[in-house]
Amino acid sequence: MAGAFTSNHTAVAVAQVVPCLHDQETALLRLKRSFTATADSMTAFQSWKVGTDCCGWAGVHCGDADGRVTSLDLGDWGLESAGIDLALFDLTSLRYLDLSWNNFNTLELPSVGFERLTNLTTLNLSNANFSGQVPDNIGRLTNLVSLDLSVSLELQEIPGVGYTINTKMGDDIMQLAMLNFTSFLANLGSLRELDLGYVDLSQSADWCDALSMNTPNLRVLKLPFCGLSSPICGTLSTLHSLSVIDLQFNDLTGLVPDFFANYSFLSVLQLMGNTELEGWISPKIFELKKLVTIDLRYNYKISGSLPNISANSCLQNLFVHETNFSGTIPSSIGKVQSLKRLDLDAPGFSGNLPSSIGELKSLHTLKISGSDLVGSIPSWITNLTSLEVLQFSRCGLYGPIPSSISHLIKLKTLAIRLCKASGMIPPHILNMTGLEELVLASNNFTGTVELNSFWRLPNLSLLDLSNNNIVVLEGQDNYSMVSFPNIMYLKLASCSITKFPSILKHLNGINGIDLSNNRMHGAIPRWAWEKLSTNCGPNGGLFFLNFSHNNFTSVGYNTFLPIFSIVLDLSFNMFEGPIPLPQYSGQVLDYSSNMFSSMPQNFSAQLGKSYVFKASRNNLSGNIPTSFCVGLEFLDLSYNTFNGSIPSCLMKDANRLRILNLKENQLDGDIPDNFNKICTLNFLDISENMIDGQLPRSLTACQRLEVLDIASNEITGSFPCWMSTLPRLQVVILKHNKFFGLVTPSSTKNKITCEFPSIRILDISFNNFSGTLNKEWFSKLMSMMVKVSNETLVMEYGAYQNEVYQVTIELTYKGSELQFDKILRTLGFLDVSNNAFHGSIPASLGELVLLDVLNMSHNSFTGPIPSQFGHLTLLESLDLSSNELSGEIPLELASLDSLTTLDLSNNKLVGSIPESPHFSTFSNSSFIGNIGLCGPPLSKKCVNTTTTNVASHQSKKKSVDIVMFLFVGVGIGVGFAIAVVWGCGIPIRKRRS
């Protein structure tokens, strides 16, 4: 149609508009038929009728007025399909294509067709439930500006419970994958927005360089949940236009780059959930002018402090939850009026809580931690009238909860946990009818609490009163008159409960129960399991169920419990018989410290989705079932009576196993030499068994290994220098085995250096090692010399649902065999005792200034105690007993104020014991067996110590005078002078050539 209009006597031509071409209409109608008829599709395609102009159909646009479709937007139409119909690719003029938020039922994307859409600038296939490989031909669309293949995953945090990752697409969501990221990006130089969230990029180690080389104009980079495992490369700094960086929940390693602070356009930085990231965060990042969101949550190894932030900042969301951030919270943060969510839930914060935070009128989330925070729970929190979430946790704040808190009428979450709040639980909280989550756990609250009083809060879904000094009673048993809220999580640990709460009969939506550390006994009521099973099945059930630390004797079922529970904890009771597994699997299962005697038959199906299985300290026997080789992350079967050999599948299939603890069983045979090439072990403990043979060389595949404990077995061989190729190895316990030979490199041909720079705890005692100790070897133990500031204090490993496994080992400490239930990364420990070492003690040991314990006893060391030991200022225990050491005790030892245990007995030491207030605390047992020693605390007195010392001093002075006279005498030859000196018995040091 053509036409004209006139304005101010000027004629303007109107461009001819061509209706939708027939081939375009045909392709669209074929595409419509490929979708399954649903209520949504019937509504969505109402305008798609034969014979009408398809350029006017809903979601269709013909932008060039030539009858060709340039834009197709079917996003979020709720459609279902068995796959993309190839008719789509007849729309070759498409520049914009959006099929997001529809369901393609896990079908693969077509391998051919996309290359025909050469004009495409925007492609959005997000949340459409595709699977398989991303087609290479998408990478040939050289005009692409925006590409979105992501799945949207949301973090849901529950105070005191943990977090879950949810997707709106349901549990059957599939994952796309990409094998060669570099080649995929090679032709996408026009990209400005890239979102591949939940696309598997784990095979793309060069992802970072690939982006830097191929996408110079990138502004939005979103790669969360992609399995990335390498460091953030330096070349990424060349992408100066980046505005959004989202790398959440990957396995990134290394330091958080300082160059992020140079991105002047940066508005969003999300690095949450990369637990191997480390280092100090540059405070300049927080000062970026356009920064709106910075999210560093769940990065336990990163550190930092908050700078003074300008009042003109655009910052709205600041998250440092579960990091090593520390220092004071700057008062300037209360001037940033744009702040809406402030999460400072990192326990390192200290000092006073700035009252200026009370001025943030737009704040709707406030979370603060800090074990060294001081002061009472602030009353200014009631000024935050927009507040929906208030959480104080792991903090030093004390005193009662202000009664004025009830003025916060918008408050949905009130959590004060692991602080020092005290007094009665205030009754005015029961007037806050908008509350959905009430967590008052682990404080100093007192008194008696009736559960039924909380049913006045109609919206309550989480109630946690655990670990206070309160007694929880059910109250009047008149439940027919009570309207119950929809309680999903009920936590009543350590509440002095003696009877299983009958309230559970009336809570229909229960999702998690914690009744641990109470006084319940007997059998768990069968009605409880029946109630808990009502909403259970393969796709639904309990989040957690914790009945640990009670006196229960029976679960009421012989084998499988009729429930599904993500976390099931029955530990520390008196259960007997076979271990009861959830019928529909469980992801964290803890049966530790009971009297279980067997595993159910054919239980591998119940472990199909399990990450953690702990059954230590039971009566389990027989061979270790191969059903445990199912892909667990943590497996702890320690302190049982399993026999036979270690199943080889535990090593072969260790592509997810991180913790393997088989300590103190009756296992024998060799350690299987078939460790997986992508071994993920962090912790391996097979100590106190009857295992023989040698350490397998395939253990070098376990590049993440940090703790190796093989103590008290029959393992033989030379010192395993080849383990120096394990870069993270920090704890090595080889004691009580049959190792022999020198502690030196076992092979020069393979260039094995035997350097262990990360080791902090080394115990090679009670073996047959011999020879001398190499002074250069000790000087390479860098982690015993230099502090690493960016690590977590406690050696522990996190798994699914915040499950934490703490390292426990047995060490000879201050003369006693002790089990350390918590190992601090600051502990320096070296034990070479009870071997056959000889020669002098290397002075280089004095460089290991972070040592807490040094034991070199029961060897054949000779010579003096190095005076360099005086540098070991942190040393608490020193044992050099039962050697052949000679000379005097160095005065430098007397200055070691941290030394509380000293044993120099049974040597050949001479002279007086140094007199110092600190040395006087040691008993004579520290020095006996040295015939030449005298002075307190020994009964042998030193005779004429002063006279002897004076005479010795005069004799030395006279000798020096003779020497000086001989050398300054005129006309006397040097050779004669030397002859005279030699005749006088004065030692002459040989001159070095």
Side-chain angles (χ1 to χ4, degrees):
M1 181 179 66
F5 67 90
T6 58
S7 175
N8 295 330
H9 308 287
T10 302
V12 180
V14 177
Q16 183 177 9
V17 178
V18 178
C20 178
L21 298 179
H22 178 70
D23 67 315
Q24 304 288 284
E25 177 184 348
T26 301
L28 288 171
L29 291 174
R30 279 182 56 192
L31 185 64
K32 171 186 174 181
R33 289 192 293 270
S34 70
F35 291 101
T36 305
T38 64
D40 289 329
S41 65
M42 296 290 289
T43 305
F45 290 118
Q46 275 184 346
S47 62
W48 289 37
K49 297 178 180 178
V50 178
T52 61
D53 186 356
C54 72
C55 292
W57 292 353
V60 180
H61 182 66
C62 305
D64 293 332
D66 60 357
R68 296 187 175 277
V69 177
T70 57
S71 174
L72 180 60
D73 185 356
L74 305 183
D76 204 14
W77 279 24
L79 306 176
E80 288 196 22
S81 176
I84 292 180
D85 194 290
L86 296 181
L88 172 68
F89 304 118
D90 292 335
L91 305 175
T92 55
S93 295
L94 276 177
R95 291 197 290 267
Y96 182 96
L97 175 60
D98 187 350
L99 299 177
S100 64
W101 291 103
N102 294 295
N103 189 356
F104 287 86
N105 290 295
T106 73
L107 270 297
E108 294 188 5
L109 285 164
S111 59
V112 295
F114 280 105
E115 71 280 359
R116 298 176 60 192
L117 306 182
T118 56
N119 296 313
L120 209 59
T121 61
T122 299
L123 176 60
N124 189 347
L125 303 177
S126 65
N127 299 289
N129 208 6
F130 289 109
S131 66
Q133 295 294 320
V134 176
D136 293 336
N137 53 14
I138 292 180
R140 300 176 199 164
L141 303 177
T142 58
N143 290 311
L144 267 186
V145 173
S146 175
L147 174 62
D148 190 347
L149 304 177
S150 66
V151 172
S152 298
L153 299 172
E154 295 180 349
L155 176 74
Q156 179 186 2
E157 291 182 299
I158 307 168
V161 174
Y163 66 84
T164 58
I165 305 295
N166 300 319
T167 172
K168 295 180 180 179
M169 295 298 295
D171 295 331
D172 60 343
I173 190 70
M174 295 299 290
Q175 187 173 23
L176 288 167
M178 190 179 297
L179 291 179
N180 196 326
F181 192 47
T182 302
S183 63
F184 181 82
L185 293 178
N187 298 307
L188 299 182
S190 299
L191 267 185
R192 295 186 179 184
E193 299 179 2
L194 177 64
D195 190 347
L196 300 181
Y198 199 60
V199 175
D200 184 0
L201 300 178
S202 59
Q203 303 302 310
S204 302
D206 57 349
W207 64 273
C208 192
D209 289 323
L211 288 164
S212 306
M213 289 187 300
N214 299 303
T215 58
N217 301 310
L218 203 62
R219 296 180 181 178
V220 175
L221 173 63
K222 295 183 178 181
L223 301 178
F225 299 94
C226 289
L228 305 175
S229 57
S230 57
I232 301 173
C233 62
T235 58
L236 198 69
S237 62
T238 61
L239 302 183
H240 303 293
S241 298
L242 278 175
S243 171
V244 174
I245 302 175
D246 183 354
L247 299 172
Q248 300 176 82
F249 288 100
N250 284 288
D251 297 309
L252 298 175
T253 59
L255 302 176
V256 178
D258 287 345
F259 62 71
F260 283 157
N262 299 330
Y263 289 143
S264 57
F265 297 102
L266 192 64
S267 62
V268 175
L269 177 62
Q270 294 177 295
L271 300 175
M272 174 171 56
N274 288 280
T275 57
E276 295 301 316
L277 279 179
E278 57 189 13
W280 184 267
I281 303 296
S282 170
K284 295 181 180 179
I285 295 176
F286 296 90
E287 300 169 3
L288 290 170
K289 293 182 179 180
K290 295 187 177 182
L291 191 66
V292 174
T293 296
I294 181 167
D295 190 347
L296 305 174
R297 286 176 288 180
Y298 298 104
N299 290 305
Y300 310 103
K301 297 181 181 180
I302 67 172
S303 306
S305 60
L306 295 177
N308 286 317
I309 302 175
S310 169
N312 297 324
S313 171
C314 298
L315 201 59
Q316 295 182 16
N317 307 298
L318 171 56
F319 303 104
V320 295
H321 180 86
E322 295 293 346
T323 65
N324 266 335
F325 267 68
S326 58
T328 58
I329 300 172
S331 60
S332 61
I333 207 165
K335 305 299 181 182
V336 185
Q337 292 298 313
S338 57
L339 272 174
K340 293 182 179 178
R341 293 190 291 176
L342 180 59
D343 186 345
L344 306 183
D345 193 0
F349 287 115
S350 58
N352 291 299
L353 198 57
S355 59
S356 60
I357 296 178
E359 301 172 16
L360 299 175
K361 301 299 183 181
S362 299
L363 201 66
H364 63 73
T365 296
L366 176 62
K367 297 181 180 181
I368 292 180
S369 291
S371 54
D372 292 325
L373 287 176
V374 296
S376 58
I377 297 174
S379 58
W380 51 254
I381 56 177
T382 56
N383 298 334
L384 303 173
T385 53
S386 299
L387 212 57
E388 296 179 7
V389 176
L390 173 62
Q391 177 175 309
F392 294 124
S393 63
R394 297 173 296 176
C395 69
L397 300 181
Y398 58 84
I401 300 175
S403 58
S404 56
I405 200 169
S406 58
H407 299 162
L408 300 178
I409 58 176
K410 294 183 179 180
L411 204 62
K412 296 179 180 179
T413 296
L414 173 60
I416 302 176
R417 52 184 293 269
L418 291 163
C419 293
K420 298 178 181 179
S422 58
M424 305 284 284
I425 293 179
H428 48 262
I429 289 179
L430 301 177
N431 298 326
M432 303 173 69
T433 55
L435 276 181
E436 298 175 3
E437 298 173 334
L438 177 59
V439 178
L440 301 176
S442 301
N443 287 285
N444 297 321
F445 292 116
T446 57
T448 299
V449 176
E450 292 191 357
L451 267 183
N452 61 8
S453 63
F454 292 94
W455 308 154
R456 292 163 52 185
L457 303 175
N459 300 308
L460 197 64
S461 62
L462 165 62
L463 176 63
D464 187 354
L465 304 177
S466 302
N467 301 308
N468 286 285
N469 297 315
I470 62 175
V471 176
V472 171
L473 304 175
E474 286 203 70
Q476 293 182 344
D477 192 7
N478 188 13
Y479 292 124
S480 60
M481 305 296 294
V482 178
S483 175
F484 296 98
N486 187 27
I487 295 288
M488 297 178 65
Y489 302 100
L490 181 63
K491 301 187 70 176
L492 301 173
S494 299
C495 288
S496 300
I497 298 173
T498 57
K499 181 183 177 183
F500 202 90
S502 58
I503 184 63
L504 295 181
K505 295 179 181 179
H506 306 278
L507 301 180
N508 296 319
I510 201 73
N511 228 359
I513 302 172
D514 185 354
L515 298 175
S516 62
N517 284 285
N518 280 292
R519 302 173 186 172
M520 293 177 286
H521 55 84
I524 297 174
R526 198 174 181 90
W527 62 257
W529 299 113
E530 293 172 353
K531 180 66 178 180
L532 296 173
S533 67
T534 54
N535 65 333
C536 289
N539 297 316
L542 295 164
F543 183 14
F544 62 88
L545 183 60
N546 190 345
F547 293 154
S548 68
H549 293 85
N550 279 282
N551 295 310
F552 289 121
T553 55
S554 171
V555 294
Y557 286 85
N558 290 329
T559 52
F560 300 119
L561 300 172
I563 61 165
F564 167 73
S565 181
I566 294 177
V567 179
L568 174 64
D569 191 348
L570 299 178
S571 62
F572 291 90
N573 279 284
M574 296 185 289
F575 294 120
E576 299 178 332
I579 284 181
L581 294 169
Q583 185 173 350
Y584 301 107
S585 181
Q587 294 171 355
V588 177
L589 304 172
D590 192 349
Y591 303 97
S592 306
S593 299
N594 280 286
M595 294 181 284
F596 289 119
S597 56
S598 63
M599 296 293 302
Q601 295 294 321
N602 302 318
F603 63 89
S604 57
Q606 279 66 39
L607 295 183
K609 296 182 179 180
S610 298
Y611 293 85
V612 176
F613 187 94
K614 297 193 290 187
S616 64
R617 300 184 187 277
N618 279 282
N619 298 322
L620 302 174
S621 59
N623 293 334
I624 295 177
T626 57
S627 296
F628 285 122
C629 305
V630 293
L632 293 166
E633 287 190 21
F634 292 2
L635 176 59
D636 188 348
L637 300 176
S638 59
Y639 299 98
N640 283 286
T641 56
F642 285 113
N643 54 32
S645 58
I646 299 174
S648 62
C649 61
L650 283 178
M651 313 308 181
K652 181 180 179 181
D653 299 331
N655 57 351
R656 198 169 78 175
L657 191 64
R658 298 175 58 203
I659 304 293
L660 178 58
N661 192 346
L662 304 177
K663 179 184 180 73
E664 199 167 324
N665 279 278
Q666 298 174 10
L667 301 170
D668 55 25
D670 294 353
I671 303 172
D673 192 5
N674 62 339
F675 282 89
N676 194 303
K677 291 183 179 180
I678 54 172
C679 170
T680 53
L681 277 174
N682 297 126
F683 175 95
L684 175 59
D685 188 346
I686 54 173
S687 62
E688 299 188 55
N689 282 282
M690 297 178 288
I691 296 168
D692 53 24
Q694 297 190 358
L695 275 174
R697 291 292 184 110
S698 61
L699 186 62
T700 56
C702 303
Q703 292 290 293
R704 299 183 183 182
L705 191 66
E706 293 187 357
V707 179
L708 175 66
D709 189 349
I710 60 171
S712 302
N713 281 286
E714 306 290 325
I715 299 172
T716 186
S718 58
F719 185 79
C721 277
W722 49 266
M723 288 201 309
S724 63
T725 60
L726 301 176
R728 301 187 185 183
L729 201 58
Q730 298 181 35
V731 178
V732 176
I733 312 292
L734 307 181
K735 66 180 179 180
H736 288 284
N737 276 286
K738 296 183 177 180
F739 289 101
F740 58 84
L742 306 176
V743 183
T744 53
S746 58
S747 170
T748 55
K749 294 180 181 179
N750 297 327
K751 298 182 179 179
I752 298 175
T753 63
C754 213
E755 295 180 10
F756 292 87
S758 298
I759 278 189
R760 308 167 194 270
I761 297 174
L762 176 62
D763 190 343
I764 61 174
S765 63
F766 291 94
N767 280 284
N768 297 313
F769 291 118
S770 58
T772 60
L773 291 177
N774 189 311
K775 63 179 182 180
E776 286 80 13
W777 187 71
F778 287 108
S779 64
K780 303 296 184 182
L781 301 177
M782 298 303 298
S783 289
M784 297 186 185
M785 293 190 259
V786 181
K787 288 183 178 181
V788 180
S789 59
N790 58 357
E791 292 186 314
T792 55
L793 180 61
V794 178
M795 289 198 74
E796 60 187 18
Y797 303 97
Y800 192 73
Q801 296 303 335
N802 283 346
E803 180 69 16
V804 174
Y805 192 94
Q806 288 190 343
V807 173
T808 62
I809 56 175
E810 290 183 4
L811 298 171
T812 303
Y813 184 73
K814 297 186 178 182
S816 301
E817 194 74 14
L818 296 178
Q819 176 166 312
F820 287 73
D821 293 329
K822 182 184 294 185
I823 298 294
L824 301 181
R825 294 186 188 272
T826 56
L827 177 63
F829 183 98
L830 179 60
D831 192 341
V832 300
S833 66
N834 292 276
N835 281 285
F837 293 117
H838 63 268
S840 60
I841 295 177
S844 57
L845 274 168
E847 299 174 18
L848 309 183
V849 294
L850 300 183
L851 274 180
D852 296 276
V853 177
L854 175 60
N855 190 347
M856 307 184 78
S857 66
H858 294 86
N859 282 284
S860 298
F861 291 115
T862 57
I865 299 172
S867 61
Q868 289 83 354
F869 278 11
H871 300 153
L872 306 179
T873 56
L874 301 179
L875 200 65
E876 297 181 8
S877 177
L878 174 63
D879 190 348
L880 303 177
S881 64
S882 299
N883 282 286
E884 299 176 26
L885 299 173
S886 58
E888 297 183 347
I889 299 173
L891 289 173
E892 288 82 359
L893 288 187
S895 65
L896 298 179
D897 294 336
S898 297
L899 199 63
T900 57
T901 301
L902 175 66
D903 193 347
L904 305 178
S905 63
N906 299 308
N907 280 285
K908 297 179 181 180
L909 300 172
V910 298
S912 61
I913 296 172
E915 295 182 11
S916 75
H918 192 61
F919 250 51
S920 64
T921 62
F922 299 124
S923 66
N924 63 346
S925 63
S926 296
F927 306 100
I928 59 172
N930 292 278
I931 298 176
L933 277 184
C934 60
L938 295 177
S939 57
K940 181 180 178 180
K941 295 183 179 180
C942 297
V943 180
N944 295 327
T945 305
T946 305
T947 304
T948 303
N949 287 343
V950 170
S952 175
H953 175 72
Q954 290 176 344
S955 175
K956 291 179 181 178
K957 186 177 187 298
K958 183 178 181 180
S959 298
V960 172
D961 289 342
I962 292 173
V963 174
M964 293 300 295
F965 170 77
L966 290 172
F967 277 90
V968 299
V970 178
I972 306 252
V974 174
F976 175 72
I978 293 175
V980 173
V981 172
W982 181 262
C984 294
I986 301 172
I988 297 296
R989 182 175 298 173
K990 292 183 179 180
R991 184 179 181 183
R992 293 183 181 178
S993 59

